[in-house]
Amino acid sequence: MGTTQLETAPEPKYWHLKTVLSDALDSEFAVGEILPNERELAARFGVARATLRQALEQLELEGRLQRRRGVGTTVAPPRMGVAVGDSAHGRPGTAADGWQPVDADEAVPPTAVARLLGTAAGETVQVVRRIRKTHGQPVAAELLYVPVESVPGLSVPEGLPGAARARLVLRELEDLRPDGQDQAVELGSARADDAKQLDRLPGAPVLVVTTRYFAGGRTAAVAVATYRADTCRLTFGDNGAAEAVPAVLAG
Amino acid sequence: MGTTQLETAPEPKYWHLKTVLSDALDSEFAVGEILPNERELAARFGVARATLRQALEQLELEGRLQRRRGVGTTVAPPRMGVAVGDSAHGRPGTAADGWQPVDADEAVPPTAVARLLGTAAGETVQVVRRIRKTHGQPVAAELLYVPVESVPGLSVPEGLPGAARARLVLRELEDLRPDGQDQAVELGSARADDAKQLDRLPGAPVLVVTTRYFAGGRTAAVAVATYRADTCRLTFGDNGAAEAVPAVLAG
DNA sequence: CAGTGGTCTAGACCACTTT
DNA sequence: AAGTGGTCTAGACCACTGT
């Protein structure tokens, strides 16, 4: 007879662990509850800590868990629906939908952005930093690149503090009333500066939303927004039913 | 004087490694080129293999590298722009834009999907499996859930092979001409079956696109599509300039 | 078959938060 | 100071791909 186990399909330990933990989260834990620490969990399941961590990482990636150094691992709430496709929200400069201006500067954009803007290499543009909060939590950090040609009337007083300067550029851009936009979403990892604003560690998974704003047949501005992938579900709606959709399976 | 190094900011080794490798990829490697193997690279940089792998994982997550077991690590081409927001593409049933029907069945949807559809718990729906290819490569696997109420005229002959049955449901659905849709994007990890169709390992990072199709004030169908996060950049465009946008920084 | 990436272990130390 | 998650090591073996 030989080996009895046919079709054994050697599932990795961390994968099996993940499903076990996932089921346990559904049935035995409430949102916000703290799990036993990693060493304890590893011992309980009879695996090395690294293996246990591999399972936890996956669950965190799927938005099921939240881990904070020095604190512990907690059960994460369902992901927030965040509207990004809605033109009303998307237009830069429209105030108070969770976006807060942080800073502004004149700088040379990354080459990829410069290519989108159609500016020459080395040419400086206005760079506005914004942060977006939902339910008090930071969900996105954005860099908005505006060529000076797009805001010809702009004059920035010397010594103006950053947030005020940012508001000034945004207000100016609002008058432009862009007539179209274009968005792309891809997976990335948080740069150190973005990570700090999003209250995450560098390298944390983020959804990078690149938006092109068109005005008068030109690309008037480009925004690169990095959303926390663990806590956010980006919604693109004909109708803004953001909160209605629950987190989806696919784990 | 004490320690000379102030503001040392102890950057993790794998993080520093990642930037070093990233720069090397830009300057010294061509797309498709194979890197030295992991043991060799780890030795060259004087780190443990696990640490080297942590850096490679990040680069793979960002779409810079592609790793295949038994083969090696290669430099990945820029991400493909894949249109998902365009209604013309998005409508289920419109043929031949890269989508290929695979199979169809009658089954009970996951509870999250049932909630979106507004069907009773335990109620069966038509489930169509599709796969999307671009440039010959699989980029997405989709499950399309269609309540029987949405396609009242449907009659499925017994013993019809899967792909034909799928085409039948899609054709029926096409007649419905849904009048609106609603999309959400979130990060997930590939289930075993999706992973196989996407030619990836289970757990690989994917972008999960949930689409609701509306017809006559009801939710006529729900599609859950999982896109390969490493190779795809999802585009939501007023104009379909999918290929024009290069991959973005944010690494 | 040899060579590759994928999994796993049993430790150690570090950075951070809370008490 | 104690406890947490984050980083790192040096090894081992496994699963898969090519020849």
Side-chain angles (χ1 to χ4, degrees), chain B residues 164-193:
Chain B
R165 197 159 60 234
R167 267 187 289 269
L168 190 75
V169 177
L170 289 169
R171 201 157 36 229
E172 204 70 25
L173 194 60
E174 197 173 353
D175 296 339
L176 225 69
R177 296 224 150 257
D179 48 35
Q181 70 183 46
D182 196 40
Q183 291 185 304
V185 180
E186 61 187 314
L187 181 58
S189 46
R191 292 193 317 266
D193 54 342

PDB file of all heavy atoms in Angstrom, chain B residues 164-193:
ATOM      1  N   ALA B 164     -19.272  26.944 -22.420  1.00  0.00           N
ATOM      2  CA  ALA B 164     -20.473  27.272 -23.188  1.00  0.00           C
ATOM      3  C   ALA B 164     -21.574  27.802 -22.269  1.00  0.00           C
ATOM      4  O   ALA B 164     -22.279  28.758 -22.591  1.00  0.00           O
ATOM      5  CB  ALA B 164     -20.964  26.044 -23.947  1.00  0.00           C
ATOM      6  N   ARG B 165     -21.694  27.171 -21.106  1.00  0.00           N
ATOM      7  CA  ARG B 165     -22.688  27.628 -20.142  1.00  0.00           C
ATOM      8  C   ARG B 165     -22.385  29.062 -19.704  1.00  0.00           C
ATOM      9  O   ARG B 165     -23.283  29.886 -19.560  1.00  0.00           O
ATOM     10  CB  ARG B 165     -22.706  26.679 -18.938  1.00  0.00           C
ATOM     11  CG  ARG B 165     -23.940  26.802 -18.085  1.00  0.00           C
ATOM     12  CD  ARG B 165     -24.160  25.563 -17.241  1.00  0.00           C
ATOM     13  NE  ARG B 165     -23.050  25.312 -16.332  1.00  0.00           N
ATOM     14  CZ  ARG B 165     -22.390  24.165 -16.260  1.00  0.00           C
ATOM     15  NH1 ARG B 165     -22.722  23.170 -17.026  1.00  0.00           N
ATOM     16  NH2 ARG B 165     -21.403  24.015 -15.410  1.00  0.00           N
ATOM     17  N   ALA B 166     -21.097  29.342 -19.511  1.00  0.00           N
ATOM     18  CA  ALA B 166     -20.694  30.691 -19.120  1.00  0.00           C
ATOM     19  C   ALA B 166     -21.082  31.694 -20.199  1.00  0.00           C
ATOM     20  O   ALA B 166     -21.658  32.746 -19.905  1.00  0.00           O
ATOM     21  CB  ALA B 166     -19.181  30.738 -18.876  1.00  0.00           C
ATOM     22  N   ARG B 167     -20.800  31.355 -21.445  1.00  0.00           N
ATOM     23  CA  ARG B 167     -21.145  32.264 -22.545  1.00  0.00           C
ATOM     24  C   ARG B 167     -22.638  32.515 -22.603  1.00  0.00           C
ATOM     25  O   ARG B 167     -23.087  33.625 -22.882  1.00  0.00           O
ATOM     26  CB  ARG B 167     -20.645  31.691 -23.870  1.00  0.00           C
ATOM     27  CG  ARG B 167     -19.259  32.187 -24.258  1.00  0.00           C
ATOM     28  CD  ARG B 167     -18.883  31.726 -25.660  1.00  0.00           C
ATOM     29  NE  ARG B 167     -18.612  30.291 -25.683  1.00  0.00           N
ATOM     30  CZ  ARG B 167     -17.392  29.774 -25.484  1.00  0.00           C
ATOM     31  NH1 ARG B 167     -16.368  30.564 -25.256  1.00  0.00           N
ATOM     32  NH2 ARG B 167     -17.210  28.478 -25.522  1.00  0.00           N
ATOM     33  N   LEU B 168     -23.401  31.476 -22.297  1.00  0.00           N
ATOM     34  CA  LEU B 168     -24.852  31.596 -22.326  1.00  0.00           C
ATOM     35  C   LEU B 168     -25.330  32.633 -21.310  1.00  0.00           C
ATOM     36  O   LEU B 168     -26.121  33.538 -21.632  1.00  0.00           O
ATOM     37  CB  LEU B 168     -25.477  30.230 -22.008  1.00  0.00           C
ATOM     38  CG  LEU B 168     -26.985  30.101 -22.231  1.00  0.00           C
ATOM     39  CD1 LEU B 168     -27.277  29.999 -23.717  1.00  0.00           C
ATOM     40  CD2 LEU B 168     -27.524  28.884 -21.498  1.00  0.00           C
ATOM     41  N   VAL B 169     -24.834  32.540 -20.089  1.00  0.00           N
ATOM     42  CA  VAL B 169     -25.242  33.474 -19.040  1.00  0.00           C
ATOM     43  C   VAL B 169     -24.808  34.892 -19.391  1.00  0.00           C
ATOM     44  O   VAL B 169     -25.557  35.855 -19.226  1.00  0.00           O
ATOM     45  CB  VAL B 169     -24.652  33.060 -17.683  1.00  0.00           C
ATOM     46  CG1 VAL B 169     -25.021  34.075 -16.617  1.00  0.00           C
ATOM     47  CG2 VAL B 169     -25.137  31.679 -17.286  1.00  0.00           C
ATOM     48  N   LEU B 170     -23.594  35.021 -19.907  1.00  0.00           N
ATOM     49  CA  LEU B 170     -23.078  36.341 -20.248  1.00  0.00           C
ATOM     50  C   LEU B 170     -23.914  36.981 -21.341  1.00  0.00           C
ATOM     51  O   LEU B 170     -24.211  38.179 -21.299  1.00  0.00           O
ATOM     52  CB  LEU B 170     -21.613  36.238 -20.702  1.00  0.00           C
ATOM     53  CG  LEU B 170     -20.611  35.920 -19.590  1.00  0.00           C
ATOM     54  CD1 LEU B 170     -19.249  35.575 -20.176  1.00  0.00           C
ATOM     55  CD2 LEU B 170     -20.482  37.110 -18.649  1.00  0.00           C
ATOM     56  N   ARG B 171     -24.295  36.174 -22.323  1.00  0.00           N
ATOM     57  CA  ARG B 171     -25.095  36.706 -23.416  1.00  0.00           C
ATOM     58  C   ARG B 171     -26.447  37.189 -22.894  1.00  0.00           C
ATOM     59  O   ARG B 171     -26.925  38.261 -23.246  1.00  0.00           O
ATOM     60  CB  ARG B 171     -25.293  35.632 -24.489  1.00  0.00           C
ATOM     61  CG  ARG B 171     -25.646  36.185 -25.861  1.00  0.00           C
ATOM     62  CD  ARG B 171     -25.303  35.217 -26.980  1.00  0.00           C
ATOM     63  NE  ARG B 171     -25.523  33.828 -26.611  1.00  0.00           N
ATOM     64  CZ  ARG B 171     -24.611  32.864 -26.797  1.00  0.00           C
ATOM     65  NH1 ARG B 171     -23.440  33.157 -27.317  1.00  0.00           N
ATOM     66  NH2 ARG B 171     -24.876  31.623 -26.472  1.00  0.00           N
ATOM     67  N   GLU B 172     -26.998  36.385 -22.011  1.00  0.00           N
ATOM     68  CA  GLU B 172     -28.291  36.745 -21.422  1.00  0.00           C
ATOM     69  C   GLU B 172     -28.179  38.059 -20.661  1.00  0.00           C
ATOM     70  O   GLU B 172     -29.040  38.936 -20.750  1.00  0.00           O
ATOM     71  CB  GLU B 172     -28.743  35.624 -20.479  1.00  0.00           C
ATOM     72  CG  GLU B 172     -30.236  35.569 -20.265  1.00  0.00           C
ATOM     73  CD  GLU B 172     -30.960  35.105 -21.526  1.00  0.00           C
ATOM     74  OE1 GLU B 172     -30.321  34.394 -22.348  1.00  0.00           O
ATOM     75  OE2 GLU B 172     -32.131  35.479 -21.688  1.00  0.00           O
ATOM     76  N   LEU B 173     -27.089  38.165 -19.919  1.00  0.00           N
ATOM     77  CA  LEU B 173     -26.888  39.352 -19.092  1.00  0.00           C
ATOM     78  C   LEU B 173     -26.685  40.586 -19.953  1.00  0.00           C
ATOM     79  O   LEU B 173     -27.068  41.706 -19.573  1.00  0.00           O
ATOM     80  CB  LEU B 173     -25.665  39.143 -18.188  1.00  0.00           C
ATOM     81  CG  LEU B 173     -25.489  40.132 -17.039  1.00  0.00           C
ATOM     82  CD1 LEU B 173     -26.686  40.068 -16.116  1.00  0.00           C
ATOM     83  CD2 LEU B 173     -24.221  39.827 -16.282  1.00  0.00           C
ATOM     84  N   GLU B 174     -26.099  40.385 -21.113  1.00  0.00           N
ATOM     85  CA  GLU B 174     -25.823  41.504 -22.006  1.00  0.00           C
ATOM     86  C   GLU B 174     -27.119  42.196 -22.429  1.00  0.00           C
ATOM     87  O   GLU B 174     -27.160  43.423 -22.588  1.00  0.00           O
ATOM     88  CB  GLU B 174     -25.065  40.999 -23.236  1.00  0.00           C
ATOM     89  CG  GLU B 174     -24.386  42.086 -24.025  1.00  0.00           C
ATOM     90  CD  GLU B 174     -23.506  41.488 -25.126  1.00  0.00           C
ATOM     91  OE1 GLU B 174     -23.355  40.259 -25.150  1.00  0.00           O
ATOM     92  OE2 GLU B 174     -22.993  42.254 -25.937  1.00  0.00           O
ATOM     93  N   ASP B 175     -28.165  41.400 -22.599  1.00  0.00           N
ATOM     94  CA  ASP B 175     -29.445  41.959 -23.012  1.00  0.00           C
ATOM     95  C   ASP B 175     -30.019  42.884 -21.952  1.00  0.00           C
ATOM     96  O   ASP B 175     -30.853  43.738 -22.246  1.00  0.00           O
ATOM     97  CB  ASP B 175     -30.444  40.830 -23.300  1.00  0.00           C
ATOM     98  CG  ASP B 175     -29.993  39.988 -24.478  1.00  0.00           C
ATOM     99  OD1 ASP B 175     -29.184  40.493 -25.273  1.00  0.00           O
ATOM    100  OD2 ASP B 175     -30.457  38.843 -24.589  1.00  0.00           O
ATOM    101  N   LEU B 176     -29.572  42.687 -20.737  1.00  0.00           N
ATOM    102  CA  LEU B 176     -30.088  43.486 -19.629  1.00  0.00           C
ATOM    103  C   LEU B 176     -29.701  44.955 -19.758  1.00  0.00           C
ATOM    104  O   LEU B 176     -30.423  45.850 -19.300  1.00  0.00           O
ATOM    105  CB  LEU B 176     -29.515  42.934 -18.313  1.00  0.00           C
ATOM    106  CG  LEU B 176     -30.504  42.777 -17.174  1.00  0.00           C
ATOM    107  CD1 LEU B 176     -31.461  41.663 -17.510  1.00  0.00           C
ATOM    108  CD2 LEU B 176     -29.758  42.455 -15.886  1.00  0.00           C
ATOM    109  N   ARG B 177     -28.511  45.198 -20.350  1.00  0.00           N
ATOM    110  CA  ARG B 177     -27.989  46.552 -20.484  1.00  0.00           C
ATOM    111  C   ARG B 177     -28.070  47.321 -19.171  1.00  0.00           C
ATOM    112  O   ARG B 177     -28.895  48.220 -19.014  1.00  0.00           O
ATOM    113  CB  ARG B 177     -28.746  47.328 -21.577  1.00  0.00           C
ATOM    114  CG  ARG B 177     -28.574  46.762 -22.966  1.00  0.00           C
ATOM    115  CD  ARG B 177     -28.332  47.856 -23.998  1.00  0.00           C
ATOM    116  NE  ARG B 177     -27.510  47.342 -25.089  1.00  0.00           N
ATOM    117  CZ  ARG B 177     -26.204  47.624 -25.217  1.00  0.00           C
ATOM    118  NH1 ARG B 177     -25.604  48.410 -24.349  1.00  0.00           N
ATOM    119  NH2 ARG B 177     -25.516  47.144 -26.221  1.00  0.00           N
ATOM    120  N   PRO B 178     -27.237  46.987 -18.232  1.00  0.00           N
ATOM    121  CA  PRO B 178     -27.258  47.677 -16.934  1.00  0.00           C
ATOM    122  C   PRO B 178     -27.027  49.168 -17.100  1.00  0.00           C
ATOM    123  O   PRO B 178     -26.295  49.603 -17.992  1.00  0.00           O
ATOM    124  CB  PRO B 178     -26.108  47.020 -16.160  1.00  0.00           C
ATOM    125  CG  PRO B 178     -25.271  46.331 -17.179  1.00  0.00           C
ATOM    126  CD  PRO B 178     -26.183  45.979 -18.296  1.00  0.00           C
ATOM    127  N   ASP B 179     -27.689  49.950 -16.277  1.00  0.00           N
ATOM    128  CA  ASP B 179     -27.665  51.396 -16.443  1.00  0.00           C
ATOM    129  C   ASP B 179     -26.738  52.108 -15.467  1.00  0.00           C
ATOM    130  O   ASP B 179     -26.815  53.319 -15.309  1.00  0.00           O
ATOM    131  CB  ASP B 179     -29.081  51.945 -16.315  1.00  0.00           C
ATOM    132  CG  ASP B 179     -29.794  51.398 -15.107  1.00  0.00           C
ATOM    133  OD1 ASP B 179     -29.124  51.180 -14.078  1.00  0.00           O
ATOM    134  OD2 ASP B 179     -30.995  51.165 -15.182  1.00  0.00           O
ATOM    135  N   GLY B 180     -25.897  51.367 -14.810  1.00  0.00           N
ATOM    136  CA  GLY B 180     -24.970  52.037 -13.913  1.00  0.00           C
ATOM    137  C   GLY B 180     -24.091  51.029 -13.208  1.00  0.00           C
ATOM    138  O   GLY B 180     -24.388  49.836 -13.189  1.00  0.00           O
ATOM    139  N   GLN B 181     -22.996  51.493 -12.679  1.00  0.00           N
ATOM    140  CA  GLN B 181     -22.148  50.600 -11.917  1.00  0.00           C
ATOM    141  C   GLN B 181     -21.410  51.349 -10.845  1.00  0.00           C
ATOM    142  O   GLN B 181     -21.447  52.561 -10.767  1.00  0.00           O
ATOM    143  CB  GLN B 181     -21.175  49.874 -12.838  1.00  0.00           C
ATOM    144  CG  GLN B 181     -20.101  50.765 -13.431  1.00  0.00           C
ATOM    145  CD  GLN B 181     -19.212  49.992 -14.381  1.00  0.00           C
ATOM    146  OE1 GLN B 181     -19.682  49.247 -15.222  1.00  0.00           O
ATOM    147  NE2 GLN B 181     -17.910  50.167 -14.237  1.00  0.00           N
ATOM    148  N   ASP B 182     -20.697  50.593 -10.056  1.00  0.00           N
ATOM    149  CA  ASP B 182     -20.217  51.017  -8.769  1.00  0.00           C
ATOM    150  C   ASP B 182     -19.003  50.170  -8.484  1.00  0.00           C
ATOM    151  O   ASP B 182     -19.101  48.948  -8.538  1.00  0.00           O
ATOM    152  CB  ASP B 182     -21.341  50.646  -7.790  1.00  0.00           C
ATOM    153  CG  ASP B 182     -21.191  51.335  -6.478  1.00  0.00           C
ATOM    154  OD1 ASP B 182     -20.831  52.517  -6.486  1.00  0.00           O
ATOM    155  OD2 ASP B 182     -21.391  50.678  -5.490  1.00  0.00           O
ATOM    156  N   GLN B 183     -17.858  50.764  -8.233  1.00  0.00           N
ATOM    157  CA  GLN B 183     -16.686  49.918  -8.068  1.00  0.00           C
ATOM    158  C   GLN B 183     -15.915  50.235  -6.808  1.00  0.00           C
ATOM    159  O   GLN B 183     -15.936  51.373  -6.325  1.00  0.00           O
ATOM    160  CB  GLN B 183     -15.764  50.052  -9.288  1.00  0.00           C
ATOM    161  CG  GLN B 183     -16.360  49.444 -10.539  1.00  0.00           C
ATOM    162  CD  GLN B 183     -15.406  49.466 -11.697  1.00  0.00           C
ATOM    163  OE1 GLN B 183     -14.910  50.518 -12.077  1.00  0.00           O
ATOM    164  NE2 GLN B 183     -15.144  48.297 -12.269  1.00  0.00           N
ATOM    165  N   ALA B 184     -15.264  49.237  -6.276  1.00  0.00           N
ATOM    166  CA  ALA B 184     -14.391  49.435  -5.133  1.00  0.00           C
ATOM    167  C   ALA B 184     -13.121  48.627  -5.340  1.00  0.00           C
ATOM    168  O   ALA B 184     -13.153  47.535  -5.909  1.00  0.00           O
ATOM    169  CB  ALA B 184     -15.083  49.014  -3.841  1.00  0.00           C
ATOM    170  N   VAL B 185     -12.008  49.188  -4.908  1.00  0.00           N
ATOM    171  CA  VAL B 185     -10.718  48.519  -5.035  1.00  0.00           C
ATOM    172  C   VAL B 185     -10.106  48.364  -3.658  1.00  0.00           C
ATOM    173  O   VAL B 185     -10.082  49.315  -2.880  1.00  0.00           O
ATOM    174  CB  VAL B 185      -9.747  49.336  -5.917  1.00  0.00           C
ATOM    175  CG1 VAL B 185      -8.403  48.627  -6.030  1.00  0.00           C
ATOM    176  CG2 VAL B 185     -10.346  49.580  -7.280  1.00  0.00           C
ATOM    177  N   GLU B 186      -9.643  47.175  -3.367  1.00  0.00           N
ATOM    178  CA  GLU B 186      -8.930  46.981  -2.109  1.00  0.00           C
ATOM    179  C   GLU B 186      -7.854  45.934  -2.277  1.00  0.00           C
ATOM    180  O   GLU B 186      -7.850  45.172  -3.248  1.00  0.00           O
ATOM    181  CB  GLU B 186      -9.888  46.599  -0.983  1.00  0.00           C
ATOM    182  CG  GLU B 186     -10.628  45.311  -1.207  1.00  0.00           C
ATOM    183  CD  GLU B 186     -11.700  45.064  -0.142  1.00  0.00           C
ATOM    184  OE1 GLU B 186     -11.406  45.236   1.042  1.00  0.00           O
ATOM    185  OE2 GLU B 186     -12.838  44.694  -0.518  1.00  0.00           O
ATOM    186  N   LEU B 187      -6.940  45.924  -1.324  1.00  0.00           N
ATOM    187  CA  LEU B 187      -5.844  44.965  -1.367  1.00  0.00           C
ATOM    188  C   LEU B 187      -6.286  43.642  -0.779  1.00  0.00           C
ATOM    189  O   LEU B 187      -6.992  43.600   0.212  1.00  0.00           O
ATOM    190  CB  LEU B 187      -4.646  45.516  -0.587  1.00  0.00           C
ATOM    191  CG  LEU B 187      -3.393  44.658  -0.535  1.00  0.00           C
ATOM    192  CD1 LEU B 187      -2.881  44.356  -1.918  1.00  0.00           C
ATOM    193  CD2 LEU B 187      -2.328  45.340   0.288  1.00  0.00           C
ATOM    194  N   GLY B 188      -5.877  42.555  -1.388  1.00  0.00           N
ATOM    195  CA  GLY B 188      -6.184  41.229  -0.867  1.00  0.00           C
ATOM    196  C   GLY B 188      -5.063  40.273  -1.185  1.00  0.00           C
ATOM    197  O   GLY B 188      -4.022  40.671  -1.724  1.00  0.00           O
ATOM    198  N   SER B 189      -5.271  39.023  -0.829  1.00  0.00           N
ATOM    199  CA  SER B 189      -4.285  38.009  -1.207  1.00  0.00           C
ATOM    200  C   SER B 189      -5.013  36.915  -1.971  1.00  0.00           C
ATOM    201  O   SER B 189      -6.153  36.573  -1.673  1.00  0.00           O
ATOM    202  CB  SER B 189      -3.569  37.466   0.025  1.00  0.00           C
ATOM    203  OG  SER B 189      -4.468  37.164   1.051  1.00  0.00           O
ATOM    204  N   ALA B 190      -4.360  36.391  -2.951  1.00  0.00           N
ATOM    205  CA  ALA B 190      -4.998  35.464  -3.890  1.00  0.00           C
ATOM    206  C   ALA B 190      -5.409  34.165  -3.214  1.00  0.00           C
ATOM    207  O   ALA B 190      -4.608  33.554  -2.508  1.00  0.00           O
ATOM    208  CB  ALA B 190      -4.055  35.186  -5.047  1.00  0.00           C
ATOM    209  N   ARG B 191      -6.646  33.761  -3.416  1.00  0.00           N
ATOM    210  CA  ARG B 191      -7.059  32.433  -2.991  1.00  0.00           C
ATOM    211  C   ARG B 191      -6.346  31.406  -3.863  1.00  0.00           C
ATOM    212  O   ARG B 191      -5.803  31.720  -4.931  1.00  0.00           O
ATOM    213  CB  ARG B 191      -8.562  32.260  -3.155  1.00  0.00           C
ATOM    214  CG  ARG B 191      -9.427  33.086  -2.236  1.00  0.00           C
ATOM    215  CD  ARG B 191     -10.865  32.556  -2.291  1.00  0.00           C
ATOM    216  NE  ARG B 191     -11.242  32.278  -3.662  1.00  0.00           N
ATOM    217  CZ  ARG B 191     -11.879  33.139  -4.454  1.00  0.00           C
ATOM    218  NH1 ARG B 191     -12.199  34.321  -4.006  1.00  0.00           N
ATOM    219  NH2 ARG B 191     -12.184  32.814  -5.691  1.00  0.00           N
ATOM    220  N   ALA B 192      -6.366  30.160  -3.419  1.00  0.00           N
ATOM    221  CA  ALA B 192      -5.627  29.108  -4.128  1.00  0.00           C
ATOM    222  C   ALA B 192      -6.083  28.988  -5.579  1.00  0.00           C
ATOM    223  O   ALA B 192      -5.263  28.908  -6.498  1.00  0.00           O
ATOM    224  CB  ALA B 192      -5.783  27.778  -3.399  1.00  0.00           C
ATOM    225  N   ASP B 193      -7.407  29.009  -5.806  1.00  0.00           N
ATOM    226  CA  ASP B 193      -7.905  28.800  -7.166  1.00  0.00           C
ATOM    227  C   ASP B 193      -7.587  29.989  -8.073  1.00  0.00           C
ATOM    228  O   ASP B 193      -7.173  29.821  -9.215  1.00  0.00           O
ATOM    229  CB  ASP B 193      -9.410  28.518  -7.138  1.00  0.00           C
ATOM    230  CG  ASP B 193     -10.167  29.608  -6.398  1.00  0.00           C
ATOM    231  OD1 ASP B 193      -9.536  30.368  -5.644  1.00  0.00           O
ATOM    232  OD2 ASP B 193     -11.385  29.705  -6.584  1.00  0.00           O
TER     233      ASP B 193
END
